[in-house]
Amino acid sequence: MKRYDLIVIGGGSGGVRAARVAATHGAKVALAEESRIGGTCVIRGCVPKKLMVLASRVGMDLEDGRGFGWTVDAARFSWPDLKANVDTELHRLERAYAAALDLAAVHVETSRAELLGGGYVKLCSTGEEIWGERILIATGATPINDDDLIGRSLCATSDDFFNWPLQPRRVLVQGAGYIALELACLLARLGSEVNVVFRADHVLRGFDQELREHLQGELTAAGIRLLPRATLTGVRRDGQALRATLSDASVITADAVLRAIGRRPNTRGLGLARAGVTTDHRHAIVVDEDFQTSARGIYAVGDVGNRVQLTPMAIREGHLFAEIAFAGHTRSALPSLVPTAVFTTPELGTVGETEEEAVARHGQVDVYAIQFRPMKAALSGRTGKCLMKLIARRADDRILGAHLVGPDAAEMIQLLGVAITMGARKADLDATLAVHPTGAEEWVTLRTPTRRLGQSEAA
Ligand code: FAD
Ligand code: NDP
């Protein structure tokens, strides 16, 4: 019986970080991964997605080039070439992650693992049982496609998308969250005809309403056909094509139907009940601030838990877990602000409270918003506009939220996240000298509130 200080189940963002940090602090660590080291982010998420988003923007740059005096003859895009190059990069990253684990002396088992209770874990590939003083569950999440939709086996998820050998000419996407919009956008920018069906009035439920409406307009202008207030009721094969029926009885013919309706934590068949680990109504493992589950000695980090499903959060959780467990750190709070971006084209970036949340929580808030054409559009001739908005609490000028749609939104929101995490006030941005000519300078030149919301002092 092999015995470890820590057994990590899952070699994705959270599990790899936790295993490496724990081993660096002297722990004897084993990590079991049933698929490829790197997990969702590296193999079938953030990394291949962003590379494909970048590919989709090259075509736009070529078109924009005309206004800047360039002539590009006979430009053609090859999906198989892009896929081959992306796959090569993913293999490189996978090897780099494995090498980092090796360097830290983490013992890696390529196997599914399941909990047996009492600190025991079964490695399903061999049937071997190992024992850990502590066990960390970092098994991530999986696209949901197991409901009662007629013809769901004909539909693809994001996992399938990254394995498509050829680009489908016509795609129907279901959902209007991060994945639906990112994949819809990159497919459309690469030339597919894309329909997006979603049940709400606007895309990206939970985001700032003005941003949602603005992005919706930009996506429509990009040639994506948005079908709000509807849902998919069935899919059937018709020769080479698929025919999808919607709740309004309309029928859409497509070469692929891509479902992106959320991701379920990977807790099925893990032996959680046997080990006494509690899950919530979403099948997520319930943890406390120290990542402790309901079972002593068993912890969970990342998408399998009941927090946000983002790579930086999984990494931070894995890191904090290992420091608390093996470096004697006392509890260290997770960041409450979550800067995040949706990699549509144009991008969307957001941090802090939406206008709606800010008004509900603080009453009196000032909103500074601006729309403008990016400088590049002067010569490229594109018609899209950037939207930038800041929300400040009137009582003390504290910035509560920053939101934008436009080029480089993700890069900008990362840096605004620093300022807002440090407690920036609107006056701090006013005091900052602009960098000219940039889009980002608008953040420090927004002088007059566009809207003063909430009751006035006199009321
Ligand atoms: P994962 O990375 O999913 O790792 C879990 C690992 O556990 C997997 O490798 C799995 O094979 C393994 N496993 C599961 N069960 C077992 C078992 N029983 N035994 C052994 N191994 C097991 N986030 C961002 O911040 N930015 C983005 O741009 C972004 N883009 C995304 C795009 C897509 C298409 C998707 C799907 C996700 C994206 N995400 C993004 C989310 C991000 O990928 C996840 O939040 C992150 O990967 C979670 O890390 P994790 O360690 O919790 O889980
Ligand atoms: P999201 O939660 O972002 O979006 C799910 C979408 O599916 C919503 O539009 C939702 O609609 C819809 N939906 C949910 N259930 C149903 C249903 N039964 N029928 C019809 N529509 C339904 O999930 P994703 O799958 O897009 O992504 C999962 C997570 O991965 C994200 O939340 C994010 O944390 C992470 N991610 C992050 C990225 C990034 O950082 N750039 C990129 C990709 C993923 P409604 O609004 O009506 O509920």
Side-chain angles (χ1 to χ4, degrees):
M1 168 73 64
K2 291 180 192 148
R3 299 171 72 86
Y4 295 92
D5 298 318
L6 173 67
I7 298 172
V8 178
I9 306 181
S13 305
V16 166
R17 175 60 68 95
R20 279 181 47 212
V21 174
T24 310
H25 288 294
K28 186 177 172 197
V29 183
L31 181 147
E33 167 55 57
E34 68 179 349
S35 176
R36 292 170 65 182
I37 293 288
T40 303
C41 176
V42 176
I43 308 296
R44 56 193 88 85
C46 331
V47 175
K49 179 273 307 285
K50 183 76 187 278
L51 291 170
M52 294 180 79
V53 168
L54 293 174
S56 74
R57 292 178 186 165
V58 172
M60 294 176 70
D61 288 342
L62 294 175
E63 286 168 14
D64 291 351
R66 288 195 201 105
F68 291 84
W70 288 87
T71 305
V72 183
D73 294 326
R76 278 189 316 280
F77 167 70
S78 161
W79 178 280
D81 286 357
L82 171 65
K83 186 169 160 30
N85 293 344
V86 169
D87 286 348
T88 302
E89 172 60 5
L90 303 190
H91 279 107
R92 187 190 69 77
L93 285 172
E94 186 183 2
R95 283 195 302 274
Y97 272 71
L101 286 171
D102 195 42
L103 196 66
V106 173
H107 174 73
V108 176
E109 292 279 355
T110 305
S111 172
R112 177 173 172 80
E114 290 172 6
L115 302 172
L116 296 172
Y120 292 92
V121 169
K122 183 167 105 180
L123 299 172
C124 302
S125 59
T126 57
E128 183 186 356
E129 292 180 16
I130 56 177
W131 184 86
E133 171 93 30
R134 290 182 173 88
I135 296 168
L136 178 68
I137 304 172
T139 50
T142 304
I144 297 173
N145 184 24
D146 60 356
D147 54 6
D148 52 9
L149 178 78
I150 299 160
R152 68 181 158 76
S153 63
L154 298 170
C155 301
T157 67
S158 60
D159 286 358
D160 306 306
F161 167 86
F162 292 113
N163 289 320
W164 282 349
L166 296 170
Q167 178 180 2
R169 191 167 64 76
R170 300 161 299 181
V171 185
L172 172 66
V173 178
Q174 184 189 22
Y178 283 86
I179 295 178
L181 297 187
E182 291 182 342
L183 301 189
C185 225
L186 79 85
L187 280 162
R189 299 277 182 195
L190 289 173
S192 295
E193 189 185 301
V194 180
N195 286 283
V196 179
V197 59
F198 56 102
R199 58 190 183 181
D201 287 335
H202 294 100
V203 297
L204 292 177
R205 191 193 296 274
F207 286 63
D208 183 274
Q209 182 63 22
E210 191 176 5
L211 234 70
R212 297 173 71 192
E213 291 171 16
H214 188 86
L215 183 68
Q216 196 142 321
E218 295 286 326
L219 296 179
T220 304
I224 297 171
R225 188 161 159 244
L226 298 177
L227 306 166
R229 296 177 291 279
T231 193
L232 192 55
T233 55
V235 180
R236 65 182 172 83
R237 184 165 288 291
D238 183 6
Q240 296 285 69
L242 298 174
R243 286 173 75 77
T245 310
L246 307 188
S247 49
D248 60 7
S250 60
V251 176
I252 297 200
T253 303
D255 302 303
V257 176
L258 181 62
R259 305 189 80 195
I261 57 168
R263 291 172 56 80
R264 176 177 301 119
N266 281 328
T267 47
R268 267 190 197 150
L270 252 188
L272 295 183
R274 203 161 41 219
V277 177
T278 307
T279 53
D280 67 13
H281 65 285
R282 290 176 41 248
H283 310 277
I285 295 179
V286 180
V287 290
D288 70 10
E289 297 90 331
D290 293 344
F291 314 105
Q292 169 74 63
T293 68
S294 54
R296 209 175 136 74
I298 303 183
Y299 304 79
V301 296
D303 282 8
V304 76
N306 53 352
R307 299 199 179 98
V308 295
Q309 295 182 330
L310 293 172
T311 292
M313 196 58 96
I315 292 174
R316 181 68 67 94
E317 290 182 5
H319 199 112
L320 288 176
F321 157 77
E323 287 189 331
I324 294 168
F326 297 103
H329 286 210
T330 50
R331 177 179 304 164
S332 161
L334 283 166
S336 55
L337 273 180
V338 181
T340 178
V342 185
F343 293 96
T344 43
T345 305
E347 281 176 8
L348 179 150
T350 181
V351 60
E353 294 174 9
T354 64
E355 183 175 328
E356 297 73 37
E357 287 167 346
V359 170
R361 285 182 197 154
H362 308 276
Q364 298 185 340
V365 300
D366 292 334
V367 177
Y368 301 79
I370 185 168
Q371 289 196 27
F372 61 96
R373 278 180 91 200
M375 192 174 182
K376 194 174 177 188
L379 296 194
S380 71
R382 289 204 185 268
T383 52
K385 282 191 173 172
C386 295
L387 166 66
M388 287 181 173
K389 67 188 281 190
L390 280 175
I391 298 156
R393 186 162 55 197
R394 197 170 309 143
D396 59 2
D397 200 32
R398 175 90 53 173
I399 299 175
L400 302 170
H403 314 279
L404 80 151
V405 172
D408 303 318
E411 308 290 339
M412 284 198 227
I413 217 65
Q414 175 67 86
L415 297 182
L416 274 167
V418 176
I420 299 177
T421 299
M422 291 174 75
R425 291 167 201 278
K426 176 67 173 54
D428 296 318
L429 294 197
D430 295 344
T432 305
L433 200 62
V435 176
H436 183 74
T438 62
E441 69 183 301
E442 300 296 336
W443 293 118
V444 298
T445 54
L446 285 165
R447 285 287 182 267
T448 316
T450 315
R451 291 186 283 284
R452 289 171 65 78
L453 301 172
Q455 292 176 333
S456 71
E457 280 82 8

